[in-house]
């Protein structure tokens, strides 16, 4: 399993770097960039999911009340900011599916859930967050951002996403939270949404524990 996970990460890292190289340094129009995003996502996610299909659980994708509430916010974001744009739907899909959902499948669905079988929750969270942070370094370098600050925020975001997955074991939920982080950053509205999600999950978690004890 460890060998397969290592090869999956190397493959994903190479795909991401090639994609970011084309979009950053090649003179492409918006349509070409959008198509390139879809192609690289398809060529990356499908093989990795097939290689690690035994790790991914159907329960990771179940719909629930909390996801429904988050989805309403996602729809509000789409109609207010994406729909008015010429390629709004395509850009929305890239932001929600090609980025948030794809990264959650890989890092929370495959890596974090695998690490939880071998390590403590703290170690699994740290290992996953290091891998998640490392994959963003080429893009940050290409965008000439302050590397130290950006990496700290990305690492912190991964810690939050691991916490949500640990409590929910649901990739649809972490995907919406991931999308909110990318869209709202760490503004007050995201903090409010995150706290509401966390409170709901803690209450549900405690209720399930009481039922098991009784």
């Amino acid at each position: 399993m460890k060998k397969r996970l290592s090869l999956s990460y190397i493959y994903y890292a190479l795909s991401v770097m090639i994609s970011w190289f084309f979009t950053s340094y090649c003179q492409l129009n918006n349509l070409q960039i959008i198509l390139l995003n879809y192609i690289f996502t398809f060529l990356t996610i499908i093989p990795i999911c097939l290689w690690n299909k035994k790790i991914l659980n159907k329960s990771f994708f179940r719909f629930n009340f909390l996801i429904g509430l988050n989805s309403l916010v996602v729809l509000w974001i789409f109609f207010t900011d994406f729909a008015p744009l010429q390629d709004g739907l395509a850009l929305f899909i890239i932001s929600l599916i090609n980025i948030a959902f794809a990264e959650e499948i890989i890092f929370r669905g495959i890596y974090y859930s695998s690490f939880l079988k071998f390590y403590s929750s703290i170690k699994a969270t740290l290992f996953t967050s290091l891998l998640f942070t490392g994959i963003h370094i080429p893009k940050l370098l290409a965008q000439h951002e302050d590397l130290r600050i950006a990496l700290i925020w990305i690492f912190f975001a991964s810690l939050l996403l691991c916490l949500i997955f640990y409590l929910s074991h649901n990739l649809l939920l972490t995907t919406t939270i991931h999308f909110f982080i990318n869209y709202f950053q760490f503004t007050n509205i995201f903090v409010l949404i995150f706290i509401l999600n966390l409170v709901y999950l803690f209450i549900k978690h405690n209720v399930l524990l009481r039922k098991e004890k009784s």
Side-chain angles (χ1 to χ4, degrees):
M1 178 182 286
K2 292 182 179 180
K3 183 178 180 180
R4 185 172 64 247
L5 290 174
S6 299
L7 291 174
S8 297
Y9 188 79
I10 293 171
Y11 177 76
Y12 180 70
L14 288 174
S15 298
V16 168
M17 285 190 287
I18 294 171
S19 176
W20 284 340
F21 173 81
F22 276 106
T23 55
S24 301
Y25 296 104
C26 298
Q27 294 181 347
L28 304 174
N29 57 42
N30 287 338
L31 180 59
Q32 290 172 328
I33 292 175
I34 289 172
L35 290 174
L36 190 67
N37 269 278
Y38 285 124
I39 291 171
F40 272 98
T41 299
F42 179 81
L43 293 177
T44 303
I45 298 302
I46 299 300
I48 290 178
C49 287
L50 290 175
W51 294 339
N52 301 278
K53 60 183 179 181
K54 293 183 179 180
I55 299 174
L56 294 172
N57 194 309
K58 291 182 180 179
S59 63
F60 291 170
F61 306 94
R62 67 185 183 277
F63 192 87
N64 58 35
F65 171 75
L66 191 56
I67 296 170
L69 290 180
N70 286 352
S71 297
L72 293 177
V73 182
V74 171
L75 287 175
W76 173 73
I77 292 172
F78 169 71
F79 284 112
T80 55
D81 273 16
F82 287 91
L85 301 176
Q86 182 178 358
D87 299 313
L89 179 59
L91 294 173
F92 174 76
I93 293 174
I94 288 174
S95 182
L96 180 63
I97 306 299
N98 294 38
I99 298 176
F101 186 58
E103 290 185 352
E104 287 310 303
I105 286 179
I106 292 173
F107 291 99
R108 252 59 60 178
I110 295 176
Y111 286 96
Y112 186 56
S113 61
S114 296
F115 291 156
L116 285 173
K117 297 175 182 177
F118 303 105
Y119 309 108
S120 67
S121 58
I122 294 177
K123 286 185 177 180
T125 299
L126 292 176
F127 292 158
T128 303
S129 298
L130 287 172
L131 292 176
F132 182 76
T133 304
I135 208 70
H136 288 81
I137 292 177
K139 182 180 179 180
L140 296 173
L141 291 173
Q143 295 176 343
H144 305 290
E145 295 188 27
D146 188 325
L147 200 61
R148 288 173 297 179
I149 295 176
L151 291 180
I152 290 172
W153 282 116
I154 292 171
F155 185 81
F156 180 67
S158 181
L159 296 180
L160 298 182
L161 292 167
C162 286
L163 175 60
I164 293 293
F165 185 80
Y166 181 78
L167 292 172
S168 67
H169 292 281
N170 195 308
L171 290 176
L172 296 181
L173 186 56
T174 58
T175 294
T176 58
I177 299 297
H178 192 143
F179 178 74
F180 295 151
I181 291 175
N182 291 343
Y183 182 80
F184 294 116
Q185 300 298 314
F186 289 99
T187 55
N188 291 336
I189 189 169
F190 168 73
V191 173
L192 177 61
I193 292 172
F194 182 78
I195 290 175
L196 290 174
N197 276 263
L198 206 57
V199 169
Y200 177 89
L201 290 173
F202 271 120
I203 293 174
K204 186 177 180 181
H205 184 69
N206 288 331
V207 170
L208 291 175
L209 286 178
R210 289 178 183 177
K211 286 183 178 179
E212 289 178 0
K213 290 180 179 179
S214 60

